[in-house]
Amino acid sequence: MNRLLLAAYPKSYRSRQGKELLTCLTEAYPGRSWPPPREVAALVRGGVQARARATVDDTTRPWWLDGIHLAALALAALALVPYLQDVWHWALHIDPRQHAIAFHFSGWYPWAGGPTRIRLLPYGLLPLGCLIALLRGRAWIALPAAAAMIWAGATTQGRTLFGSEGKAGLSYYGLGAPITARDLVLSGALCVGCAVLALCRPSRLRRRSYRWLAPVVLAMFMAGGLHIISVSPAFQRGLFVLEVTALLGAWAATAATGDHRWLIPVAAVAIVRTQAIVVQPDAFMQSLPDLVVLLLLIAPLPALAITAQRRQGQELPE
């Protein structure tokens, strides 16, 4: 089990010091397959910092380009989250019946029972395709998918390609107001990010392994298999924990390197979600008061900037 902790570290670190780290854990905690929670937290934190330093040391691309790439990935995931269940049901030809996500008619697919309207594809395929293309560094494939998201959100009701309800269904909303597919700020920002990446020598983009899709598949299985819809309390709590974890990871990476690239995705998500709160201040199922939500969204931005400046200030005397 100790080998699982090594996954937090970059490949170069594992090849150099992986055996030494495993030996130290075995000697420090004999007879245990897993170290104490405090040690696990320390090892994960060290892995995040090691990955951050390895990213900064890679000079094949400018920091701002990598930051825009991370922002596009975050926005694509943000757009995909509410449709995880829908894509899973479509892929496996499952009739969700009363568990369909905010659809007035069960599933909107030909095989669904009950009063059904026909649609060919789930809207969630667009952000999913965009996410996969961005993971592989193929911005020229992600750009048409993001543009299609704008088209789908802007067109009128009555189309059968994605179905009108698929464009109006609730999107990720976490601490703030819901973001629907009709809200073009999210899809527009994603499209702009993909366009910048496609124009700035796509060959320089970081290409991540398909293994990064494992959490997405797991989330689809949980949402589709357990019928956990995006507006349920369990779903929202899970997203809140995920968001806090991502912010802590961005803070740890910034504190370890003094690099500003992780400020870009945090700013992009904060701007998109803050806009939704301002436009829909009375949206249903708000989890916290507006002022608290806005503070939680905006506060990480100056915190990350100050952390980066302090780190850079500490490195200059050295």
Side-chain angles (χ1 to χ4, degrees), residues 187-210:
S187 54
L190 177 58
C191 189
V192 170
C194 292
V196 172
L197 296 174
L199 293 174
C200 295
R201 294 178 61 184
S203 60
R204 301 172 69 186
L205 297 181
R206 191 182 305 277
R207 296 184 180 181
R208 294 169 173 83
S209 169
Y210 284 112

Side-chain angles (χ1 to χ4, degrees), residues 286-309:
Q286 285 188 323
S287 53
L288 289 173
D290 290 342
L291 180 59
V292 176
V293 170
L294 289 173
L295 288 175
L296 289 172
L297 290 175
I298 298 172
L301 302 179
L304 284 173
I306 293 172
T307 300
Q309 289 299 116

Side-chain angles (χ1 to χ4, degrees), residues 227-238:
H227 298 299
I228 303 177
I229 61 175
S230 59
V231 295
S232 69
F235 199 98
Q236 293 298 316
R237 292 189 189 104

Side-chain angles (χ1 to χ4, degrees), residues 9-205:
Y9 292 82
K11 185 177 180 180
S12 57
Y13 183 96
R14 294 197 301 267
S15 61
R16 293 194 314 267
Q17 305 181 36
K19 292 183 178 180
E20 180 181 351
L21 181 59
L22 288 175
T23 302
C24 291
L25 289 174
T26 302
E27 294 177 353
Y29 308 103
R32 296 187 57 165
S33 60
W34 198 258
R38 181 178 298 180
E39 187 69 25
V40 171
L43 288 171
V44 172
R45 183 172 63 251
V48 172
Q49 293 174 347
R51 283 186 176 273
R53 294 190 188 98
T55 299
V56 174
D57 292 340
D58 185 359
T59 58
T60 57
R61 62 192 63 83
W63 67 269
W64 59 266
L65 185 64
D66 210 20
I68 294 175
H69 194 184
L70 290 171
L73 284 167
L75 292 176
L78 189 66
L80 172 63
V81 162
Y83 302 102
L84 291 171
Q85 182 193 115
D86 197 32
V87 173
W88 182 264
H89 288 164
W90 172 81
L92 298 183
H93 283 218
I94 296 174
D95 180 6
R97 299 185 182 274
Q98 71 271 20
H99 300 291
I101 56 167
F103 294 122
H104 297 309
F105 297 87
S106 298
W108 279 66
Y109 292 119
W111 61 81
T116 306
R117 291 184 182 178
I118 302 301
R119 59 176 170 146
L120 300 180
L121 299 170
Y123 172 83
L125 283 182
L126 295 178
L128 177 61
C130 192
L131 179 65
I132 295 173
L134 288 170
L135 278 173
R136 297 299 296 165
R138 301 286 194 269
W140 57 275
I141 297 178
L143 180 57
M149 290 172 61
I150 297 177
W151 171 81
T155 52
T156 58
Q157 295 187 9
R159 297 185 181 272
T160 59
L161 183 56
F162 298 110
S164 59
E165 192 69 17
K167 293 176 291 186
L170 290 175
S171 183
Y172 167 77
Y173 111 163
L175 298 174
I179 304 174
T180 68
R182 295 181 184 279
D183 189 341
L184 302 184
V185 174
L186 173 56
S187 54
L190 177 58
C191 189
V192 170
C194 292
V196 172
L197 296 174
L199 293 174
C200 295
R201 294 178 61 184
S203 60
R204 301 172 69 186
L205 297 181

Side-chain angles (χ1 to χ4, degrees), residues 213-252:
L213 290 174
V216 178
V217 175
L218 177 61
M220 284 185 179
F221 168 75
M222 293 182 64
L226 302 179
H227 298 299
I228 303 177
I229 61 175
S230 59
V231 295
S232 69
F235 199 98
Q236 293 298 316
R237 292 189 189 104
L239 289 174
F240 174 75
V241 172
L242 182 62
E243 180 176 348
V244 170
T245 303
L247 283 174
L248 291 175
W251 177 84

